[in-house]
């Protein structure tokens, strides 16, 4: 996976880029450490938490670009 999309699994995201878990925490998401993160796609979690999808994904991808 090169970039994060709405269909990305949260588990895959955190496995591939563990250093971006702080972004989930900043948005008060409990995804890091949650047993459901392996099964849940990012868009569904963002809707549950009421977080703007495009803004959050943009933040994640920006952090990935900085780290690489």
């Amino acid at each position: 996976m090169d970039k994060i999309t709405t269909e990305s699994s949260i588990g895959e995201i955190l496995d591939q880029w563990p250093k971006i878990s702080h972004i989930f925490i900043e948005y008060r998401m409990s995804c890091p450490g949650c047993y459901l993160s392996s099964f849940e796609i990012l868009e569904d979690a963002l809707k549950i938490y009421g977080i703007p999808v495009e803004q959050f994904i943009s933040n994640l991808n920006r952090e990935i670009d900085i780290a690489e």
Side-chain angles (χ1 to χ4, degrees), residues 9-47:
S9 156
I10 296 172
E12 290 175 333
I13 294 168
L14 294 173
D15 285 346
Q16 188 163 350
W17 299 288
K19 292 185 178 183
I20 65 171
S21 63
H22 69 92
I23 296 174
F24 288 86
I25 294 166
E26 288 170 9
Y27 279 84
R28 300 186 187 274
M29 297 176 75
S30 60
C31 299
C34 176
Y35 72 95
L36 293 175
S37 66
S38 298
F39 308 104
E40 190 159 36
I41 64 167
L42 184 57
E43 184 175 34
D44 291 344
L46 293 173
K47 286 180 181 179

